Amino acid sequence: VRPWATRCLEQLRAPRSGAAIPEAESVRADLGYLGALAASAAVQAGITAEVAVPAVNGAVLLPTLGRLILGPGRPRLATARLLVDGGTVQFRVGDDWWKLAVSDMARYDADPILVGDDQRAAEWQSMRVLRASGVSVPLEDGDPYRDCFGPSVASRLTPTEFTEWQLAFADGWKEIEASYFGWEPAMKAGLKALVPLASSPQPDAVGTAAPLAFGAVALPRPADPAHLATLLVAAFQRVKLGAILDLYDLYRPDQAGAELLAEAYTGLAAGAGEAVGDAVEQLARRGVLTPLGHRFVAEMLRSAQAL
């Protein structure tokens, strides 16, 4: 939601700031996401509501629930009206309409559901969830605003690809329980979404996080459970650091300290005490830290020495 909100603010402010005026259609689609959020909230709260939601490229998205694929021949941008009535949701686009039971929409990990008739068939694709011992994490491969991490995100996973992710996640979480038990409670509490990346990682690849998307990590799927565990923990370290930097100024914004700090903080999870020490020394030499930043990295160094 936060990447979407900042994108909307940038677009709305563009004419006043002298920048190029964004396409009206693009702004309309972005602002319409607010309706999708409202519809999703109404469905999950079990209340009655009527909401206008954008249908973009033939799909109606309800964040955290899934999306309705309307089929070919649809315009790039249209308006869908959603009638939420407790146990059912009716989608109306032009003269066409489809009705779904909320119980079917919320069946995480279910196969796609066909609704409608031959003349107006559509497919409901539920949000899918990765599960392991004592933890479940939504796998986000449909929301357009997930593409905020830098590397290209994967498109909707096939059932086989999702099964491969599920097996890898379960094995990777066992590795986290065995080797990263100090980090496991925070990840159970704060890991809110996993976004698959499009490419396979290199041996030294790390997970990715976006400061604007707290709780979400993005990573490719490695074959080795130990590698997946490392990617998950390292990416979640960046999630935590992003939240800390939202609240506190640890380095001067006009200095190049962000990546060094992230390197040191991620190194703590990897058990790379020497690498943490090197990064902290470079930060000290550059003179980029604020007084609070000095206190923060001193504690990191103390933890690294304990490792």
Side-chain angles (χ1 to χ4, degrees):
V1 170
R2 192 173 169 198
W4 157 77
T6 54
R7 173 170 163 170
C8 286
L9 286 174
E10 289 169 358
Q11 289 181 319
L12 292 171
R13 289 169 176 165
R16 292 193 294 274
S17 65
I21 297 176
E23 280 186 47
E25 191 176 75
S26 175
V27 177
R28 177 184 160 206
D30 285 338
L31 293 177
Y33 187 77
L34 181 60
L37 291 169
S40 180
V43 170
Q44 296 183 67
I47 64 174
T48 299
E50 182 175 350
V51 189
V53 176
V56 182
N57 295 323
V60 180
L61 173 75
L62 293 185
T64 74
L65 283 173
R67 60 183 182 177
L68 186 70
I69 306 299
L70 305 178
R74 301 283 173 175
R76 199 195 77 79
L77 180 61
T79 297
R81 298 207 67 83
L82 269 62
L83 304 177
V84 183
D85 186 15
T88 63
V89 179
Q90 186 177 119
F91 297 75
R92 289 187 175 275
V93 181
D95 295 330
D96 296 331
W97 62 273
W98 304 264
K99 182 179 282 191
L100 275 164
V102 171
S103 57
D104 287 335
M105 295 172 66
R107 287 170 55 205
Y108 297 128
D109 309 345
D111 291 332
I113 301 169
L114 289 175
V115 292
D117 52 34
D118 292 339
Q119 302 300 317
R120 49 186 176 84
E123 180 181 272
W124 174 256
Q125 298 176 343
S126 294
M127 169 77 79
R128 292 172 292 186
V129 176
L130 298 170
R131 304 184 189 279
S133 174
V135 65
S136 59
V137 180
L139 183 140
E140 181 55 83
D141 61 353
D143 194 304
Y145 300 100
R146 76 190 187 282
D147 193 5
C148 60
F149 297 94
S152 298
V153 297
S155 54
R156 171 84 177 184
L157 301 184
T158 66
T160 299
E161 290 171 332
F162 173 74
T163 299
E164 291 170 345
W165 259 106
Q166 174 57 70
L167 294 172
F169 181 80
D171 289 341
W173 194 261
K174 289 178 184 176
E175 185 69 24
I176 290 173
E177 291 178 321
S179 304
Y180 298 95
F181 52 88
W183 277 261
E184 180 194 353
M187 294 181 69
K188 280 186 174 180
L191 183 58
K192 299 302 182 186
L194 190 153
V195 177
L197 294 179
S199 58
S200 298
Q202 300 300 316
D204 59 348
V206 297
T208 306
L212 292 179
F214 179 74
V217 299
L219 53 148
R221 181 183 59 80
D224 178 16
H227 193 187
L228 178 60
T230 300
L231 293 180
L232 271 171
V233 173
F236 191 71
Q237 281 291 94
R238 288 180 175 260
V239 167
K240 291 193 294 181
L241 183 61
I244 291 166
L245 293 175
D246 263 0
L247 297 171
Y248 305 106
D249 293 325
L250 302 184
Y251 60 90
R252 297 186 182 91
D254 58 337
Q255 302 287 339
E259 194 52 44
L260 278 172
L261 191 61
E263 181 183 327
Y265 199 65
T266 303
L268 281 176
E274 186 175 342
V276 174
D278 290 343
V280 169
E281 285 181 12
Q282 289 187 59
L283 282 166
R285 283 200 304 268
R286 287 173 177 263
V288 299
L289 296 173
T290 64
L292 189 60
H294 279 290
R295 289 176 55 193
F296 188 82
V297 298
E299 288 299 315
M300 281 202 300
L301 193 56
R302 192 162 68 90
S303 297
Q305 289 166 346
L307 292 173

